[in-house]
């Protein structure tokens, strides 16, 4: 694999993300994905349901570019309700592992006042590197 998780010596191991990652290959950027379907409709206003759809949308864009979830090297999560994020952590973790797998790249999570789509509760941006020669 051309991805290497970076864990500085002596640092506590993070849970659910990495401190850093080193990769070589073709860069792929996924624009912010929200919890709507392919018709731009929101099937649910539930926070975790929207997380699940946003993650599925990311995987679909990755596939379109020839990448897989394990090629993700960075994710930034923007959400409108920090408490919904915190209280949904178990369900979010289960959805994440079901869709992305046990790959935990560097991530940031940020509460924002609003997202561009009124019904959106989460928007996730992802970057990936498709492995190339070492």
């Amino acid at each position: 694999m051309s991805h290497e998780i970076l864990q500085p010596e002596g640092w506590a191991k993070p849970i659910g993300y990495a401190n850093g990652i080193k990769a070589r290959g073709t860069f792929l950027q996924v624009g912010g994905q929200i919890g709507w379907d392919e018709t731009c409709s929101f099937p649910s206003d539930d926070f975790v349901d929207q997380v699940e759809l946003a993650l599925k949308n990311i995987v679909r864009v990755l596939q379109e570019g020839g990448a897989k979830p394990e090629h993700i090297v960075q994710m930034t999560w923007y959400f409108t309700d920090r408490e919904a994020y915190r209280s949904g952590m178990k369900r979010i973790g289960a959805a994440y592992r079901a869709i992305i797998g046990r790959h935990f790249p560097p991530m940031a999570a940020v509460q924002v006042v609003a997202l561009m789509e009124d019904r959106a509760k989460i928007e996730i941006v992802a970057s990936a590197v498709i492995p190339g020669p070492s």
Side-chain angles (χ1 to χ4, degrees):
M1 163 129 300
S2 62
H3 292 70
E4 177 187 345
I5 299 295
L6 305 176
Q7 177 63 25
E9 188 175 330
W11 283 25
K13 187 175 182 198
I15 297 172
Y17 68 95
N19 287 305
I21 194 167
K22 183 168 73 171
R24 179 182 303 271
T26 303
F27 182 76
L28 186 155
Q29 180 66 50
V30 179
Q33 297 299 308
I34 60 177
W36 62 14
D37 63 20
E38 63 279 356
T39 68
C40 300
S41 298
F42 288 91
S44 174
D45 287 316
D46 177 75
F47 182 81
V48 179
D49 289 348
Q50 287 197 16
V51 167
E52 186 173 351
L53 263 175
L55 292 171
K56 287 178 178 179
N57 292 340
I58 287 169
V59 170
R60 183 63 187 99
V61 174
L62 290 172
Q63 290 171 340
E64 187 68 22
K68 299 176 183 174
E70 60 265 27
H71 299 146
I72 296 171
V73 295
Q74 171 69 39
M75 298 178 90
T76 304
W77 298 50
Y78 301 95
F79 43 81
T80 57
D81 184 346
R82 185 174 68 173
E83 189 49 43
Y85 177 83
R86 286 180 169 171
S87 66
M89 288 300 289
K90 273 194 173 179
R91 288 179 55 215
I92 290 168
Y96 181 94
R97 289 185 303 277
I99 297 162
I100 304 297
R102 297 193 81 63
H103 173 65
F104 305 104
M107 296 187 206
V110 182
Q111 180 176 324
V112 296
V113 172
L115 297 166
M116 292 307 292
E117 293 296 327
D118 289 338
R119 287 181 64 188
K121 297 178 184 297
I122 181 84
E123 184 165 346
I124 306 171
V125 175
S127 300
V129 175
I130 303 167
S134 300

